[in-house]
Amino acid sequence: MFKNTRDGGGDGRYASWTRDFESERERRARQGDPEWARGAALPPALVRSLRRFQVGENGDGAELIGKADRAGDPTYAAAARLFVAEERNHARLLAELLAAGGAETLEAHWSDTAFVRLRRLLGLRLELLVLMVAEVVALRYYRTLRDGRVDPLLSEVAGRVLADEERHVPFHCARLREGFAHLPGPARRLVTAGWRALLAGAACVVAADHGAALRRCGVTRREFVRDVVSSSAPVAATIAGAGPAPAPPAVLLT
């Protein structure tokens, strides 16, 4: 999943990530939005599922940005701001998709409220661990929607969001790997084992709550949970320092 990075250390160690986020922002501006006017034929199960995920993408990110600022690395804080902007764009895309399908967004959902409150109680490292639960689940969710062939506009939007999430995971892994590097190996493995257990529980909750939408896209609850859990192994190894350090996509493309 990850390759070694040659990104420099010191104050500029997140400069490549910042440049990548900026490059993606410029690319999106050139690309423009999907053709919303063509509309979307969204089954009720997918409308319910998308509305809940849209709420989760719609946070303002102020807590994460504040913690990134207090971490004392301006390049990381700049990259964190750009990450939050991409998450807000995901919320916008999902809202537009729902509107194209004749559906409104939700004001709130209990699962997102609980998730946000938990994150706000934690420091940066633990907040990122909790955030990474959502990010890894999102990888499988949006891939399911992209490949489900339910509706062309749905597939396009899901593909765009998935491409961003595939960049977000190594970005957060880089910070978490650095943040836990001072711990002895057994402690790092204990942290990541706990994270994997939390992720497995979250995957089960999502599978139960969104099972009808997943089935409509050709994925069973069991397959969804299995895929999420299996995908967590290389992520955990990277965070713990047992796997290769993640490289920003800009480095991978050079």
Side-chain angles (χ1 to χ4, degrees):
M1 179 177 291
F2 305 112
K3 296 183 180 180
N4 287 323
T5 176
R6 296 181 181 178
D7 200 18
D11 291 339
R13 61 189 177 277
Y14 289 99
S16 291
W17 297 99
T18 303
R19 288 194 299 269
D20 175 67
F21 279 115
E22 291 171 341
S23 175
E24 282 297 308
R25 181 180 60 192
E26 293 168 2
R27 185 196 60 79
R28 285 194 302 271
R30 293 192 301 268
Q31 179 185 34
D33 270 4
E35 189 181 345
W36 305 119
R38 63 179 160 167
L42 302 176
L46 275 162
V47 169
R48 290 192 295 271
S49 179
L50 287 166
R51 293 173 81 189
R52 294 171 191 173
F53 264 79
Q54 194 275 337
V55 170
E57 300 276 13
N58 203 29
D60 63 10
E63 288 287 330
L64 177 60
I65 289 172
K67 291 170 185 176
D69 285 340
R70 291 191 291 275
D73 184 340
T75 56
Y76 173 70
R81 280 178 166 78
L82 292 165
F83 156 73
V84 169
E86 286 195 357
E87 291 291 300
R88 291 171 180 165
N89 187 55
H90 295 171
R92 183 187 67 83
L93 289 173
L94 294 179
E96 293 283 5
L97 173 62
L98 286 165
E104 297 179 349
T105 59
L106 292 175
E107 290 296 325
H109 190 263
W110 69 265
S111 58
D112 179 64
T113 301
F115 185 73
V116 170
R117 286 180 178 175
L118 174 61
R119 285 173 50 192
R120 287 177 176 174
L121 294 173
L122 306 173
L124 178 61
R125 286 177 301 178
L126 293 182
E127 173 164 356
L128 289 178
L129 277 177
V130 175
L131 177 60
M132 279 285 284
V133 168
E135 297 284 272
V136 175
V137 168
L139 288 176
R140 187 62 181 100
Y141 177 78
Y142 288 115
R143 179 157 59 90
T144 299
L145 267 56
R146 183 198 64 183
D147 298 342
R149 298 183 179 180
V150 173
D151 176 84
L153 189 59
L154 171 65
S155 293
E156 180 179 353
V157 171
R160 291 190 184 205
V161 176
L162 176 63
D164 286 342
E165 299 292 4
E166 288 174 339
R167 293 170 34 254
H168 293 173
V169 168
F171 168 61
H172 296 312
C173 279
R175 184 67 188 188
L176 286 167
R177 183 185 180 102
E178 177 185 286
F180 289 112
H182 69 286
L183 295 178
R188 294 197 302 271
R189 290 191 291 273
L190 181 62
V191 168
T192 53
W195 174 77
R196 291 192 72 190
L198 180 63
L199 175 64
C204 290
V205 171
V206 171
D209 203 25
H210 298 261
L214 297 173
R215 284 197 304 273
R216 186 64 180 80
C217 294
V219 174
T220 67
R221 289 183 172 94
R222 184 184 296 273
E223 289 170 337
F224 181 84
V225 173
R226 180 199 64 204
D227 291 349
V228 170
V229 171
S230 64
S231 72
S232 70
V235 176
T238 297
I239 293 171
V251 174
L252 291 174
L253 294 174
T254 58

